[in-house]
């Protein structure tokens, strides 16, 4: 209840519905030992993580029309199942980026932090996984809770067994464009009968942290 003019009711909750793993048509999946829930900032989707064998990240569509009798109710969509390669085995926490484009998750048993891109329809696409003691990463042993800074620049994760806080910086700066672009076979703005165009350019530079793959 959001009506502050009614002090006896303000802030009270009214039960609406529930979803259980393996129940429904189609059956809901991904909620075994449900461990965290995130609502997208546009109000359109809800993500629930599950630590169990049938766990992962379950996606629900949310009715965000406040004039609808079903306002706030959910419809199960799909699940990204837990696999060793995506960091969702024993997933324990999740947080959306401030811009709503990325979902971060942590796994306690595998000591990992995973990154998923939020695509059309709210579906998730795996980007990468950071693992404790791999590639210079430290502080994620027994990864538990997540936090995202208000400027979207930093991701913080606690490492239970490391007694630590691991800090990651998010690269939000696009690489600079190449400084030169030229054709070795054609003259710009001049007609040519040569159907094969050869182009070369200098390498771009990246002032961020991720670097350039090529």
């Amino acid at each position: 209840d959001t009506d502050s003019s009614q002090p006896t009711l303000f802030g009270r909750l009214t039960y609406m519905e529930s979803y259980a793993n393996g129940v429904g048509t189609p059956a809901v999946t991904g909620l075994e030992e449900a461990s965290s829930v995130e609502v997208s900032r546009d109000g359109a989707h809800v993500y629930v993580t599950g630590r169990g064998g049938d766990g992962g990240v379950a996606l629900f569509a949310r009715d965000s029309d406040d004039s609808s009798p079903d306002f706030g109710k959910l419809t199960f969509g799909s699940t990204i199942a837990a696999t060793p390669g995506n960091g969702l085995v024993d997933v324990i926490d999740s947080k959306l980026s401030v811009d709503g484009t990325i979902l971060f998750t942590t796994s306690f048993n595998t000591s990992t932090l995973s990154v998923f891109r939020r695509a059309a329809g709210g579906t998730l696409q795996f980007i990468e996984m950071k693992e404790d003691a791999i590639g210079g990463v430290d502080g994620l042993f027994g990864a538990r809770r997540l936090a995202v800074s208000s400027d979207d620049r930093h991701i913080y994760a606690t490492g239970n067994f490391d007694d630590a806080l691991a800090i990651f910086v998010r690269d939000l700066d696009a690489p600079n464009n190449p400084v030169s672009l030229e054709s070795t076979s054609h003259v710009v703005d001049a007609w040519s009968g040569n159907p094969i165009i050869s182009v070369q350019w200098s390498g771009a530079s990246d002032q961020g942290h991720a670097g350039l793959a090529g």
Side-chain angles (χ1 to χ4, degrees):
D1 193 307
T2 57
D3 186 359
S4 59
S5 68
Q6 301 292 326
T8 60
L9 299 177
F10 179 56
R12 294 198 175 199
L13 306 179
T14 301
Y15 175 76
M16 292 179 62
E17 60 177 349
S18 69
Y19 287 85
N21 200 62
V23 178
T25 305
V28 175
T29 59
L31 298 188
E32 186 174 347
E33 298 183 32
S35 54
S36 75
V37 59
E38 274 285 277
V39 181
S40 64
R41 284 160 179 77
D42 59 8
H45 300 99
V46 173
Y47 300 92
V48 186
T49 61
R51 298 182 64 180
D54 188 37
V57 181
L59 163 65
F60 295 84
R62 176 178 174 270
D63 189 330
S64 56
D65 181 1
D66 59 7
S67 65
S68 168
D70 292 327
F71 177 51
K73 289 191 174 183
L74 306 179
T75 302
F76 174 66
S78 60
T79 295
I80 297 182
T83 67
N86 64 13
L88 295 181
V89 175
D90 194 44
V91 59
I92 194 168
D93 198 13
S94 62
K95 286 290 183 294
L96 282 163
S97 60
V98 176
D99 61 16
T101 62
I102 301 292
L103 181 75
F104 304 98
T105 65
T106 47
S107 169
F108 181 72
N109 281 348
T110 62
S111 302
T112 55
L113 184 155
S114 293
V115 184
F116 297 85
R117 178 178 290 108
R118 184 167 169 246
T123 58
L124 299 176
Q125 299 172 345
F126 176 74
I127 298 177
E128 63 173 338
M129 180 179 71
K130 301 296 186 182
E131 184 175 356
D132 189 63
I134 302 295
V137 175
D138 194 16
L140 281 182
F141 188 25
R144 276 189 176 271
R145 301 305 174 196
L146 281 166
V148 179
S149 63
S150 60
D151 60 4
D152 239 357
R153 287 281 179 176
H154 295 91
I155 315 303
Y156 301 91
T158 57
N160 185 257
F161 296 132
D162 268 340
D163 298 327
L165 176 70
I167 305 171
F168 297 85
V169 61
R170 184 177 172 207
D171 189 355
L172 297 176
D173 300 312
N176 296 323
N177 288 328
V179 295
S180 65
L181 177 65
E182 60 184 12
S183 171
T184 57
S185 60
H186 290 70
V187 176
V188 177
D189 289 331
W191 182 91
S192 172
N194 184 354
I196 300 176
I197 302 175
S198 298
V199 179
Q200 66 182 22
W201 59 90
S202 66
S205 60
D206 185 16
Q207 303 303 313
H209 301 272
L212 290 168

